Amino acid sequence: MADSLPSHIQLEIVTPDHPVAREVVSAVTIPGKGGYLGILPGHAPLLSELKMGELAYTRGSFTHYLAVSWGFAEVLPDRVIILAKTAERAADINVERAERARQRAEERLAKFTDLSIDMERARAALERAQTRLQVARRVGS
Ligand code: ATP
């Protein structure tokens, strides 16, 4: 007889600076490189690269949101491990800082004729800032 499916997921989110979350959850949405991945208990094992994006997890009746940047996700039927370069909970995002970062990046991108500017780097900074601003709007929602 097949083993019964796990009822929950042990979620761990770690950055090089510190552990960000270790919680038992019922669902996780991961910003995978190839698109968002919805994970429920019993999901088939997979390994995915992360892109900058919003990670969401549901615990009880609450969904929690974080902005995460590049790294890896390991998915097992009863466990999800996120190793991210950065991860901020929605409530911890400094909106003014993200707004300043967005403006800086947009100004750099506007000078597209200036060959001294690394456009790829400016685009990545803009993506980080936009994601942080988007995730920060989740506070209280
Ligand atoms: P900035 O130009 O404002 O530093 P950045 O996108 O270059 O933004 P990162 O290199 O991605 O910043 O992150 C550096 C550190 O600062 C990480 O620990 C990250 O979690 C944190 N961080 C960056 N922006 C914010 C923010 N708006 N609110 C809270 N923490 C932030």
Side-chain angles (χ1 to χ4, degrees):
M1 203 168 98
D3 289 339
S4 60
L5 287 177
S7 57
H8 288 90
I9 298 167
Q10 173 77 44
L11 171 67
E12 284 189 45
I13 305 174
V14 182
T15 69
D17 298 334
H18 58 106
V20 178
R22 175 180 277 185
E23 302 197 35
V24 176
V25 306
S26 54
V28 189
T29 304
I30 300 169
K33 188 119 195 219
Y36 278 84
L37 301 165
I39 310 294
L40 293 172
H43 197 285
L46 67 84
L47 202 55
S48 172
E49 216 176 308
L50 299 174
K51 65 170 182 181
M52 181 81 216
E54 179 178 85
L55 182 145
Y57 66 85
T58 303
R59 184 163 180 239
S61 51
F62 289 100
T63 301
H64 303 258
Y65 300 91
L66 296 97
V68 300
S69 68
W70 296 270
F72 292 94
E74 182 181 19
V75 175
L76 298 168
D78 61 351
R79 215 163 162 217
V80 170
I81 301 151
I82 307 288
L83 305 173
K85 187 163 172 255
T86 64
E88 301 102 36
R89 290 182 179 276
D92 295 334
I93 291 172
N94 179 330
V95 173
E96 284 168 21
R97 176 176 170 178
E99 190 57 50
R100 283 196 301 273
R102 185 181 67 76
Q103 276 175 16
R104 268 198 314 276
E106 281 181 347
E107 281 162 20
R108 288 189 180 124
L109 288 170
K111 296 181 192 156
F112 53 86
T113 51
D114 183 342
L115 297 180
S116 70
I117 293 178
D118 182 340
M119 291 294 159
E120 202 46 53
R121 191 172 156 192
R123 260 192 293 277
L126 180 61
E127 208 185 340
R128 292 196 296 278
Q130 284 174 330
T131 303
R132 285 177 175 129
L133 291 168
Q134 178 197 323
V135 172
R137 277 187 226 114
R138 297 287 197 175
V139 176
S141 71

